[in-house]
């Protein structure tokens, strides 16, 4: 997976002050990260493109409201997540009949939602330090060094937390599958 660095804090600060060239460079520099995150969250590639575009428009219009230059990544991820959720809520209301053949069946959609819910519950049950590392590394796609630096810990500690978090999620999901296979409790 290609890793893209977020624009430097100096560039964000200059864009916040209204420097047009910095703002243009900021939007261009944030685009690969925003696009990657949208692809991981949205239901369709079209929704991902639209959500990423909307997030970049919001960045362009409202970068001056960003309180801290270092908060750009989390701010953009929240915007993309909210846009993907908004699109997911409206998909059932305005889906054209022509798209029905490309959509999964109702049963498949229900199973996908169940699976996503199980994974989310397993992640939510993690201790905060493990959950934070797992989300930054596996969901946001940040490099190990970036995660370690952001959390103020060493790379070895970050790897250890990530390993424990992945093992706990895997175990949690396997326990549920084992209960289902064994006939329940």
């Amino acid at each position: 997976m290609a890793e893209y660095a977020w624009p430097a804090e100096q560039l964000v600060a200059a864009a916040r002050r209204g420097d047009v060239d910095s703002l243009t460079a900021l939007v261009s520099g944030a685009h690969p990260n925003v696009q990657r995150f949208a692809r991981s969250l949205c239901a369709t590639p079209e929704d991902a493109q639209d959500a990423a575009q909307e997030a970049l428009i919001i960045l362009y219009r409202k970068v001056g409201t960003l309180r801290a230059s270092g908060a750009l990544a989390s701010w953009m991820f929240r915007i993309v997540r909210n846009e993907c959720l908004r699109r997911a809520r409206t998909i059932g209301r305005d889906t054209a009949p022509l798209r029905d053949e490309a959509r999964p069946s109702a049963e498949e959609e229900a199973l996908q939602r169940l699976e996503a819910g199980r994974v989310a519950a397993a992640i939510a049950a993690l201790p905060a330090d493990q959950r934070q590392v797992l989300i930054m590394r596996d969901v946001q796609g940040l490099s190990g060094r970036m995660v370690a630096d952001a959390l103020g810990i060493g790379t070895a500690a970050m790897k250890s937390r990530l390993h424990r978090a992945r093992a706990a999620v895997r175990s949690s999901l396997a326990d549920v599958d084992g209960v289902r296979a064994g006939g329940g409790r």
Side-chain angles (χ1 to χ4, degrees), residues 31-68:
H31 184 262
N33 295 304
V34 169
Q35 191 76 23
R36 185 184 67 233
F37 193 62
R39 280 193 308 263
S40 72
L41 283 180
C42 288
T44 67
E46 295 83 14
D47 283 348
Q49 269 187 321
D50 291 346
Q53 185 175 16
E54 185 64 30
L56 292 170
I57 290 169
I58 291 170
L59 170 63
Y60 186 82
R61 289 182 180 160
K62 298 187 176 185
V63 71
T65 65
L66 183 63
R67 293 182 184 213

PDB file of all heavy atoms in Angstrom, residues 31-68:
ATOM      1  N   HIS A  31      -5.516  15.255  -0.792  1.00  0.00           N
ATOM      2  CA  HIS A  31      -6.384  14.457  -1.663  1.00  0.00           C
ATOM      3  C   HIS A  31      -6.128  12.947  -1.603  1.00  0.00           C
ATOM      4  O   HIS A  31      -7.076  12.171  -1.447  1.00  0.00           O
ATOM      5  CB  HIS A  31      -6.307  14.976  -3.100  1.00  0.00           C
ATOM      6  CG  HIS A  31      -7.234  14.276  -4.021  1.00  0.00           C
ATOM      7  ND1 HIS A  31      -6.813  13.259  -4.835  1.00  0.00           N
ATOM      8  CD2 HIS A  31      -8.564  14.417  -4.223  1.00  0.00           C
ATOM      9  CE1 HIS A  31      -7.845  12.816  -5.525  1.00  0.00           C
ATOM     10  NE2 HIS A  31      -8.922  13.492  -5.167  1.00  0.00           N
ATOM     11  N   PRO A  32      -4.881  12.442  -1.733  1.00  0.00           N
ATOM     12  CA  PRO A  32      -4.690  10.981  -1.720  1.00  0.00           C
ATOM     13  C   PRO A  32      -5.161  10.336  -0.409  1.00  0.00           C
ATOM     14  O   PRO A  32      -5.751   9.262  -0.426  1.00  0.00           O
ATOM     15  CB  PRO A  32      -3.172  10.811  -1.894  1.00  0.00           C
ATOM     16  CG  PRO A  32      -2.693  12.097  -2.459  1.00  0.00           C
ATOM     17  CD  PRO A  32      -3.624  13.162  -1.975  1.00  0.00           C
ATOM     18  N   ASN A  33      -4.910  11.003   0.714  1.00  0.00           N
ATOM     19  CA  ASN A  33      -5.334  10.453   2.002  1.00  0.00           C
ATOM     20  C   ASN A  33      -6.852  10.452   2.128  1.00  0.00           C
ATOM     21  O   ASN A  33      -7.452   9.477   2.596  1.00  0.00           O
ATOM     22  CB  ASN A  33      -4.728  11.261   3.151  1.00  0.00           C
ATOM     23  CG  ASN A  33      -3.233  11.129   3.185  1.00  0.00           C
ATOM     24  OD1 ASN A  33      -2.690  10.045   3.253  1.00  0.00           O
ATOM     25  ND2 ASN A  33      -2.541  12.251   3.099  1.00  0.00           N
ATOM     26  N   VAL A  34      -7.461  11.531   1.730  1.00  0.00           N
ATOM     27  CA  VAL A  34      -8.916  11.644   1.800  1.00  0.00           C
ATOM     28  C   VAL A  34      -9.555  10.597   0.888  1.00  0.00           C
ATOM     29  O   VAL A  34     -10.508   9.908   1.270  1.00  0.00           O
ATOM     30  CB  VAL A  34      -9.362  13.077   1.424  1.00  0.00           C
ATOM     31  CG1 VAL A  34     -10.858  13.172   1.220  1.00  0.00           C
ATOM     32  CG2 VAL A  34      -8.896  14.063   2.489  1.00  0.00           C
ATOM     33  N   GLN A  35      -9.026  10.445  -0.311  1.00  0.00           N
ATOM     34  CA  GLN A  35      -9.552   9.465  -1.273  1.00  0.00           C
ATOM     35  C   GLN A  35      -9.431   8.047  -0.717  1.00  0.00           C
ATOM     36  O   GLN A  35     -10.371   7.255  -0.801  1.00  0.00           O
ATOM     37  CB  GLN A  35      -8.768   9.591  -2.586  1.00  0.00           C
ATOM     38  CG  GLN A  35      -9.363   8.835  -3.729  1.00  0.00           C
ATOM     39  CD  GLN A  35     -10.578   9.528  -4.311  1.00  0.00           C
ATOM     40  OE1 GLN A  35     -10.748  10.721  -4.165  1.00  0.00           O
ATOM     41  NE2 GLN A  35     -11.426   8.782  -4.951  1.00  0.00           N
ATOM     42  N   ARG A  36      -8.290   7.721  -0.133  1.00  0.00           N
ATOM     43  CA  ARG A  36      -8.077   6.378   0.409  1.00  0.00           C
ATOM     44  C   ARG A  36      -9.050   6.100   1.553  1.00  0.00           C
ATOM     45  O   ARG A  36      -9.648   5.029   1.628  1.00  0.00           O
ATOM     46  CB  ARG A  36      -6.631   6.236   0.899  1.00  0.00           C
ATOM     47  CG  ARG A  36      -6.315   4.815   1.365  1.00  0.00           C
ATOM     48  CD  ARG A  36      -4.928   4.688   1.938  1.00  0.00           C
ATOM     49  NE  ARG A  36      -4.868   5.453   3.171  1.00  0.00           N
ATOM     50  CZ  ARG A  36      -3.952   6.372   3.439  1.00  0.00           C
ATOM     51  NH1 ARG A  36      -3.012   6.645   2.585  1.00  0.00           N
ATOM     52  NH2 ARG A  36      -3.973   7.019   4.579  1.00  0.00           N
ATOM     53  N   PHE A  37      -9.230   7.064   2.419  1.00  0.00           N
ATOM     54  CA  PHE A  37     -10.137   6.864   3.537  1.00  0.00           C
ATOM     55  C   PHE A  37     -11.575   6.713   3.043  1.00  0.00           C
ATOM     56  O   PHE A  37     -12.312   5.860   3.525  1.00  0.00           O
ATOM     57  CB  PHE A  37     -10.017   8.016   4.540  1.00  0.00           C
ATOM     58  CG  PHE A  37     -10.684   7.721   5.835  1.00  0.00           C
ATOM     59  CD1 PHE A  37     -10.266   6.673   6.635  1.00  0.00           C
ATOM     60  CD2 PHE A  37     -11.756   8.474   6.264  1.00  0.00           C
ATOM     61  CE1 PHE A  37     -10.884   6.385   7.829  1.00  0.00           C
ATOM     62  CE2 PHE A  37     -12.385   8.205   7.466  1.00  0.00           C
ATOM     63  CZ  PHE A  37     -11.952   7.154   8.240  1.00  0.00           C
ATOM     64  N   ALA A  38     -11.967   7.516   2.062  1.00  0.00           N
ATOM     65  CA  ALA A  38     -13.326   7.422   1.509  1.00  0.00           C
ATOM     66  C   ALA A  38     -13.554   6.055   0.883  1.00  0.00           C
ATOM     67  O   ALA A  38     -14.618   5.450   1.067  1.00  0.00           O
ATOM     68  CB  ALA A  38     -13.555   8.536   0.493  1.00  0.00           C
ATOM     69  N   ARG A  39     -12.566   5.540   0.177  1.00  0.00           N
ATOM     70  CA  ARG A  39     -12.713   4.205  -0.437  1.00  0.00           C
ATOM     71  C   ARG A  39     -12.895   3.130   0.618  1.00  0.00           C
ATOM     72  O   ARG A  39     -13.593   2.147   0.398  1.00  0.00           O
ATOM     73  CB  ARG A  39     -11.502   3.892  -1.310  1.00  0.00           C
ATOM     74  CG  ARG A  39     -11.542   4.546  -2.672  1.00  0.00           C
ATOM     75  CD  ARG A  39     -10.489   3.973  -3.619  1.00  0.00           C
ATOM     76  NE  ARG A  39      -9.152   3.980  -3.054  1.00  0.00           N
ATOM     77  CZ  ARG A  39      -8.238   4.913  -3.269  1.00  0.00           C
ATOM     78  NH1 ARG A  39      -8.502   5.923  -4.069  1.00  0.00           N
ATOM     79  NH2 ARG A  39      -7.049   4.838  -2.712  1.00  0.00           N
ATOM     80  N   SER A  40     -12.279   3.317   1.780  1.00  0.00           N
ATOM     81  CA  SER A  40     -12.400   2.298   2.825  1.00  0.00           C
ATOM     82  C   SER A  40     -13.730   2.382   3.566  1.00  0.00           C
ATOM     83  O   SER A  40     -14.143   1.404   4.189  1.00  0.00           O
ATOM     84  CB  SER A  40     -11.235   2.402   3.815  1.00  0.00           C
ATOM     85  OG  SER A  40     -11.382   3.542   4.630  1.00  0.00           O
ATOM     86  N   LEU A  41     -14.407   3.508   3.503  1.00  0.00           N
ATOM     87  CA  LEU A  41     -15.639   3.680   4.262  1.00  0.00           C
ATOM     88  C   LEU A  41     -16.919   3.627   3.443  1.00  0.00           C
ATOM     89  O   LEU A  41     -17.942   3.174   3.928  1.00  0.00           O
ATOM     90  CB  LEU A  41     -15.625   5.021   4.996  1.00  0.00           C
ATOM     91  CG  LEU A  41     -14.784   5.099   6.242  1.00  0.00           C
ATOM     92  CD1 LEU A  41     -14.891   6.483   6.839  1.00  0.00           C
ATOM     93  CD2 LEU A  41     -15.213   4.068   7.251  1.00  0.00           C
ATOM     94  N   CYS A  42     -16.895   4.147   2.248  1.00  0.00           N
ATOM     95  CA  CYS A  42     -18.125   4.281   1.467  1.00  0.00           C
ATOM     96  C   CYS A  42     -18.509   2.961   0.808  1.00  0.00           C
ATOM     97  O   CYS A  42     -17.664   2.112   0.527  1.00  0.00           O
ATOM     98  CB  CYS A  42     -17.970   5.370   0.417  1.00  0.00           C
ATOM     99  SG  CYS A  42     -17.953   7.036   1.112  1.00  0.00           S
ATOM    100  N   ALA A  43     -19.794   2.828   0.538  1.00  0.00           N
ATOM    101  CA  ALA A  43     -20.344   1.598  -0.018  1.00  0.00           C
ATOM    102  C   ALA A  43     -19.945   1.376  -1.466  1.00  0.00           C
ATOM    103  O   ALA A  43     -19.749   0.234  -1.888  1.00  0.00           O
ATOM    104  CB  ALA A  43     -21.865   1.609   0.110  1.00  0.00           C
ATOM    105  N   THR A  44     -19.826   2.422  -2.245  1.00  0.00           N
ATOM    106  CA  THR A  44     -19.512   2.277  -3.662  1.00  0.00           C
ATOM    107  C   THR A  44     -18.354   3.196  -4.036  1.00  0.00           C
ATOM    108  O   THR A  44     -18.119   4.208  -3.365  1.00  0.00           O
ATOM    109  CB  THR A  44     -20.726   2.643  -4.546  1.00  0.00           C
ATOM    110  OG1 THR A  44     -20.994   4.041  -4.405  1.00  0.00           O
ATOM    111  CG2 THR A  44     -21.956   1.826  -4.179  1.00  0.00           C
ATOM    112  N   PRO A  45     -17.662   2.874  -5.123  1.00  0.00           N
ATOM    113  CA  PRO A  45     -16.590   3.768  -5.574  1.00  0.00           C
ATOM    114  C   PRO A  45     -17.117   5.167  -5.918  1.00  0.00           C
ATOM    115  O   PRO A  45     -16.434   6.162  -5.686  1.00  0.00           O
ATOM    116  CB  PRO A  45     -16.035   3.078  -6.821  1.00  0.00           C
ATOM    117  CG  PRO A  45     -16.403   1.634  -6.658  1.00  0.00           C
ATOM    118  CD  PRO A  45     -17.696   1.621  -5.898  1.00  0.00           C
ATOM    119  N   GLU A  46     -18.331   5.221  -6.448  1.00  0.00           N
ATOM    120  CA  GLU A  46     -18.909   6.523  -6.792  1.00  0.00           C
ATOM    121  C   GLU A  46     -19.145   7.352  -5.530  1.00  0.00           C
ATOM    122  O   GLU A  46     -18.862   8.554  -5.504  1.00  0.00           O
ATOM    123  CB  GLU A  46     -20.238   6.344  -7.548  1.00  0.00           C
ATOM    124  CG  GLU A  46     -20.083   5.686  -8.909  1.00  0.00           C
ATOM    125  CD  GLU A  46     -20.018   4.156  -8.841  1.00  0.00           C
ATOM    126  OE1 GLU A  46     -20.350   3.559  -7.787  1.00  0.00           O
ATOM    127  OE2 GLU A  46     -19.599   3.559  -9.849  1.00  0.00           O
ATOM    128  N   ASP A  47     -19.688   6.711  -4.488  1.00  0.00           N
ATOM    129  CA  ASP A  47     -19.894   7.412  -3.222  1.00  0.00           C
ATOM    130  C   ASP A  47     -18.563   7.868  -2.629  1.00  0.00           C
ATOM    131  O   ASP A  47     -18.467   8.952  -2.058  1.00  0.00           O
ATOM    132  CB  ASP A  47     -20.632   6.523  -2.212  1.00  0.00           C
ATOM    133  CG  ASP A  47     -22.115   6.416  -2.499  1.00  0.00           C
ATOM    134  OD1 ASP A  47     -22.631   7.193  -3.326  1.00  0.00           O
ATOM    135  OD2 ASP A  47     -22.766   5.545  -1.885  1.00  0.00           O
ATOM    136  N   ALA A  48     -17.538   7.033  -2.763  1.00  0.00           N
ATOM    137  CA  ALA A  48     -16.216   7.390  -2.236  1.00  0.00           C
ATOM    138  C   ALA A  48     -15.673   8.623  -2.946  1.00  0.00           C
ATOM    139  O   ALA A  48     -15.153   9.543  -2.303  1.00  0.00           O
ATOM    140  CB  ALA A  48     -15.251   6.215  -2.388  1.00  0.00           C
ATOM    141  N   GLN A  49     -15.820   8.656  -4.272  1.00  0.00           N
ATOM    142  CA  GLN A  49     -15.358   9.827  -5.022  1.00  0.00           C
ATOM    143  C   GLN A  49     -16.117  11.074  -4.597  1.00  0.00           C
ATOM    144  O   GLN A  49     -15.527  12.127  -4.371  1.00  0.00           O
ATOM    145  CB  GLN A  49     -15.570   9.609  -6.519  1.00  0.00           C
ATOM    146  CG  GLN A  49     -14.412   8.985  -7.218  1.00  0.00           C
ATOM    147  CD  GLN A  49     -14.646   8.955  -8.720  1.00  0.00           C
ATOM    148  OE1 GLN A  49     -15.742   8.705  -9.198  1.00  0.00           O
ATOM    149  NE2 GLN A  49     -13.586   9.218  -9.462  1.00  0.00           N
ATOM    150  N   ASP A  50     -17.433  10.941  -4.479  1.00  0.00           N
ATOM    151  CA  ASP A  50     -18.259  12.088  -4.097  1.00  0.00           C
ATOM    152  C   ASP A  50     -17.938  12.559  -2.678  1.00  0.00           C
ATOM    153  O   ASP A  50     -17.848  13.756  -2.411  1.00  0.00           O
ATOM    154  CB  ASP A  50     -19.746  11.744  -4.203  1.00  0.00           C
ATOM    155  CG  ASP A  50     -20.195  11.560  -5.647  1.00  0.00           C
ATOM    156  OD1 ASP A  50     -19.448  11.952  -6.570  1.00  0.00           O
ATOM    157  OD2 ASP A  50     -21.290  10.995  -5.849  1.00  0.00           O
ATOM    158  N   ALA A  51     -17.759  11.606  -1.760  1.00  0.00           N
ATOM    159  CA  ALA A  51     -17.454  11.964  -0.372  1.00  0.00           C
ATOM    160  C   ALA A  51     -16.095  12.647  -0.271  1.00  0.00           C
ATOM    161  O   ALA A  51     -15.935  13.633   0.457  1.00  0.00           O
ATOM    162  CB  ALA A  51     -17.492  10.720   0.514  1.00  0.00           C
ATOM    163  N   ALA A  52     -15.115  12.134  -1.005  1.00  0.00           N
ATOM    164  CA  ALA A  52     -13.786  12.743  -0.991  1.00  0.00           C
ATOM    165  C   ALA A  52     -13.844  14.158  -1.567  1.00  0.00           C
ATOM    166  O   ALA A  52     -13.251  15.090  -1.016  1.00  0.00           O
ATOM    167  CB  ALA A  52     -12.796  11.890  -1.782  1.00  0.00           C
ATOM    168  N   GLN A  53     -14.571  14.318  -2.651  1.00  0.00           N
ATOM    169  CA  GLN A  53     -14.696  15.643  -3.261  1.00  0.00           C
ATOM    170  C   GLN A  53     -15.381  16.624  -2.303  1.00  0.00           C
ATOM    171  O   GLN A  53     -14.945  17.755  -2.137  1.00  0.00           O
ATOM    172  CB  GLN A  53     -15.479  15.544  -4.566  1.00  0.00           C
ATOM    173  CG  GLN A  53     -15.545  16.840  -5.319  1.00  0.00           C
ATOM    174  CD  GLN A  53     -16.223  16.691  -6.668  1.00  0.00           C
ATOM    175  OE1 GLN A  53     -16.902  15.708  -6.936  1.00  0.00           O
ATOM    176  NE2 GLN A  53     -16.031  17.661  -7.523  1.00  0.00           N
ATOM    177  N   GLU A  54     -16.453  16.158  -1.650  1.00  0.00           N
ATOM    178  CA  GLU A  54     -17.160  17.015  -0.689  1.00  0.00           C
ATOM    179  C   GLU A  54     -16.237  17.401   0.471  1.00  0.00           C
ATOM    180  O   GLU A  54     -16.225  18.545   0.918  1.00  0.00           O
ATOM    181  CB  GLU A  54     -18.402  16.295  -0.167  1.00  0.00           C
ATOM    182  CG  GLU A  54     -19.262  17.129   0.724  1.00  0.00           C
ATOM    183  CD  GLU A  54     -19.877  18.339   0.035  1.00  0.00           C
ATOM    184  OE1 GLU A  54     -20.125  18.287  -1.191  1.00  0.00           O
ATOM    185  OE2 GLU A  54     -20.102  19.352   0.720  1.00  0.00           O
ATOM    186  N   ALA A  55     -15.442  16.437   0.954  1.00  0.00           N
ATOM    187  CA  ALA A  55     -14.517  16.716   2.059  1.00  0.00           C
ATOM    188  C   ALA A  55     -13.475  17.751   1.651  1.00  0.00           C
ATOM    189  O   ALA A  55     -13.133  18.645   2.435  1.00  0.00           O
ATOM    190  CB  ALA A  55     -13.836  15.425   2.511  1.00  0.00           C
ATOM    191  N   LEU A  56     -12.982  17.656   0.433  1.00  0.00           N
ATOM    192  CA  LEU A  56     -11.985  18.624  -0.036  1.00  0.00           C
ATOM    193  C   LEU A  56     -12.598  20.017  -0.236  1.00  0.00           C
ATOM    194  O   LEU A  56     -11.944  21.034   0.010  1.00  0.00           O
ATOM    195  CB  LEU A  56     -11.321  18.125  -1.318  1.00  0.00           C
ATOM    196  CG  LEU A  56     -10.439  16.888  -1.112  1.00  0.00           C
ATOM    197  CD1 LEU A  56     -10.012  16.294  -2.445  1.00  0.00           C
ATOM    198  CD2 LEU A  56      -9.234  17.185  -0.242  1.00  0.00           C
ATOM    199  N   ILE A  57     -13.843  20.055  -0.649  1.00  0.00           N
ATOM    200  CA  ILE A  57     -14.539  21.348  -0.764  1.00  0.00           C
ATOM    201  C   ILE A  57     -14.687  21.980   0.619  1.00  0.00           C
ATOM    202  O   ILE A  57     -14.456  23.177   0.800  1.00  0.00           O
ATOM    203  CB  ILE A  57     -15.905  21.168  -1.453  1.00  0.00           C
ATOM    204  CG1 ILE A  57     -15.707  20.840  -2.933  1.00  0.00           C
ATOM    205  CG2 ILE A  57     -16.772  22.415  -1.287  1.00  0.00           C
ATOM    206  CD1 ILE A  57     -16.966  20.386  -3.651  1.00  0.00           C
ATOM    207  N   ILE A  58     -15.065  21.164   1.601  1.00  0.00           N
ATOM    208  CA  ILE A  58     -15.194  21.670   2.970  1.00  0.00           C
ATOM    209  C   ILE A  58     -13.838  22.149   3.481  1.00  0.00           C
ATOM    210  O   ILE A  58     -13.740  23.194   4.122  1.00  0.00           O
ATOM    211  CB  ILE A  58     -15.812  20.598   3.890  1.00  0.00           C
ATOM    212  CG1 ILE A  58     -17.277  20.380   3.502  1.00  0.00           C
ATOM    213  CG2 ILE A  58     -15.685  20.988   5.359  1.00  0.00           C
ATOM    214  CD1 ILE A  58     -17.938  19.193   4.174  1.00  0.00           C
ATOM    215  N   LEU A  59     -12.782  21.394   3.192  1.00  0.00           N
ATOM    216  CA  LEU A  59     -11.435  21.818   3.579  1.00  0.00           C
ATOM    217  C   LEU A  59     -11.129  23.187   2.967  1.00  0.00           C
ATOM    218  O   LEU A  59     -10.656  24.088   3.666  1.00  0.00           O
ATOM    219  CB  LEU A  59     -10.399  20.792   3.116  1.00  0.00           C
ATOM    220  CG  LEU A  59      -8.929  21.203   3.234  1.00  0.00           C
ATOM    221  CD1 LEU A  59      -8.548  21.444   4.685  1.00  0.00           C
ATOM    222  CD2 LEU A  59      -8.036  20.151   2.611  1.00  0.00           C
ATOM    223  N   TYR A  60     -11.407  23.332   1.702  1.00  0.00           N
ATOM    224  CA  TYR A  60     -11.121  24.587   1.004  1.00  0.00           C
ATOM    225  C   TYR A  60     -11.889  25.747   1.626  1.00  0.00           C
ATOM    226  O   TYR A  60     -11.336  26.821   1.855  1.00  0.00           O
ATOM    227  CB  TYR A  60     -11.474  24.438  -0.479  1.00  0.00           C
ATOM    228  CG  TYR A  60     -11.084  25.624  -1.317  1.00  0.00           C
ATOM    229  CD1 TYR A  60      -9.780  25.759  -1.778  1.00  0.00           C
ATOM    230  CD2 TYR A  60     -12.008  26.610  -1.636  1.00  0.00           C
ATOM    231  CE1 TYR A  60      -9.407  26.844  -2.544  1.00  0.00           C
ATOM    232  CE2 TYR A  60     -11.642  27.714  -2.398  1.00  0.00           C
ATOM    233  CZ  TYR A  60     -10.347  27.826  -2.845  1.00  0.00           C
ATOM    234  OH  TYR A  60      -9.970  28.908  -3.597  1.00  0.00           O
ATOM    235  N   ARG A  61     -13.142  25.515   1.923  1.00  0.00           N
ATOM    236  CA  ARG A  61     -13.993  26.596   2.432  1.00  0.00           C
ATOM    237  C   ARG A  61     -13.769  26.904   3.913  1.00  0.00           C
ATOM    238  O   ARG A  61     -13.921  28.038   4.341  1.00  0.00           O
ATOM    239  CB  ARG A  61     -15.464  26.240   2.235  1.00  0.00           C
ATOM    240  CG  ARG A  61     -15.900  26.273   0.806  1.00  0.00           C
ATOM    241  CD  ARG A  61     -17.366  25.954   0.709  1.00  0.00           C
ATOM    242  NE  ARG A  61     -17.814  25.977  -0.673  1.00  0.00           N
ATOM    243  CZ  ARG A  61     -18.901  25.403  -1.105  1.00  0.00           C
ATOM    244  NH1 ARG A  61     -19.688  24.754  -0.269  1.00  0.00           N
ATOM    245  NH2 ARG A  61     -19.231  25.476  -2.373  1.00  0.00           N
ATOM    246  N   LYS A  62     -13.448  25.877   4.701  1.00  0.00           N
ATOM    247  CA  LYS A  62     -13.473  26.060   6.150  1.00  0.00           C
ATOM    248  C   LYS A  62     -12.146  25.812   6.848  1.00  0.00           C
ATOM    249  O   LYS A  62     -12.124  25.635   8.067  1.00  0.00           O
ATOM    250  CB  LYS A  62     -14.547  25.146   6.755  1.00  0.00           C
ATOM    251  CG  LYS A  62     -15.936  25.476   6.261  1.00  0.00           C
ATOM    252  CD  LYS A  62     -16.983  24.686   6.992  1.00  0.00           C
ATOM    253  CE  LYS A  62     -18.370  25.104   6.540  1.00  0.00           C
ATOM    254  NZ  LYS A  62     -19.404  24.445   7.316  1.00  0.00           N
ATOM    255  N   VAL A  63     -11.044  25.777   6.125  1.00  0.00           N
ATOM    256  CA  VAL A  63      -9.759  25.516   6.757  1.00  0.00           C
ATOM    257  C   VAL A  63      -9.446  26.561   7.823  1.00  0.00           C
ATOM    258  O   VAL A  63      -8.780  26.270   8.815  1.00  0.00           O
ATOM    259  CB  VAL A  63      -8.618  25.413   5.717  1.00  0.00           C
ATOM    260  CG1 VAL A  63      -8.300  26.760   5.105  1.00  0.00           C
ATOM    261  CG2 VAL A  63      -7.374  24.782   6.342  1.00  0.00           C
ATOM    262  N   GLY A  64      -9.967  27.752   7.676  1.00  0.00           N
ATOM    263  CA  GLY A  64      -9.742  28.798   8.675  1.00  0.00           C
ATOM    264  C   GLY A  64     -10.355  28.486  10.021  1.00  0.00           C
ATOM    265  O   GLY A  64      -9.938  29.025  11.049  1.00  0.00           O
ATOM    266  N   THR A  65     -11.332  27.576  10.067  1.00  0.00           N
ATOM    267  CA  THR A  65     -11.969  27.213  11.336  1.00  0.00           C
ATOM    268  C   THR A  65     -11.227  26.090  12.056  1.00  0.00           C
ATOM    269  O   THR A  65     -11.555  25.789  13.198  1.00  0.00           O
ATOM    270  CB  THR A  65     -13.441  26.785  11.120  1.00  0.00           C
ATOM    271  OG1 THR A  65     -13.467  25.576  10.350  1.00  0.00           O
ATOM    272  CG2 THR A  65     -14.232  27.870  10.429  1.00  0.00           C
ATOM    273  N   LEU A  66     -10.257  25.497  11.383  1.00  0.00           N
ATOM    274  CA  LEU A  66      -9.469  24.426  12.004  1.00  0.00           C
ATOM    275  C   LEU A  66      -8.653  25.028  13.133  1.00  0.00           C
ATOM    276  O   LEU A  66      -7.903  25.980  12.930  1.00  0.00           O
ATOM    277  CB  LEU A  66      -8.559  23.784  10.951  1.00  0.00           C
ATOM    278  CG  LEU A  66      -7.720  22.596  11.385  1.00  0.00           C
ATOM    279  CD1 LEU A  66      -8.602  21.428  11.816  1.00  0.00           C
ATOM    280  CD2 LEU A  66      -6.823  22.153  10.234  1.00  0.00           C
ATOM    281  N   ARG A  67      -8.806  24.496  14.324  1.00  0.00           N
ATOM    282  CA  ARG A  67      -8.165  25.104  15.503  1.00  0.00           C
ATOM    283  C   ARG A  67      -6.676  24.840  15.599  1.00  0.00           C
ATOM    284  O   ARG A  67      -5.915  25.688  16.006  1.00  0.00           O
ATOM    285  CB  ARG A  67      -8.849  24.624  16.781  1.00  0.00           C
ATOM    286  CG  ARG A  67     -10.257  25.152  16.869  1.00  0.00           C
ATOM    287  CD  ARG A  67     -10.900  24.722  18.132  1.00  0.00           C
ATOM    288  NE  ARG A  67     -12.279  25.190  18.110  1.00  0.00           N
ATOM    289  CZ  ARG A  67     -12.925  25.558  19.148  1.00  0.00           C
ATOM    290  NH1 ARG A  67     -12.357  25.520  20.326  1.00  0.00           N
ATOM    291  NH2 ARG A  67     -14.167  25.958  19.051  1.00  0.00           N
ATOM    292  N   ALA A  68      -6.258  23.640  15.243  1.00  0.00           N
ATOM    293  CA  ALA A  68      -4.841  23.296  15.349  1.00  0.00           C
ATOM    294  C   ALA A  68      -4.368  22.706  14.027  1.00  0.00           C
ATOM    295  O   ALA A  68      -5.039  21.842  13.466  1.00  0.00           O
ATOM    296  CB  ALA A  68      -4.617  22.292  16.479  1.00  0.00           C
TER     297      ALA A  68
END
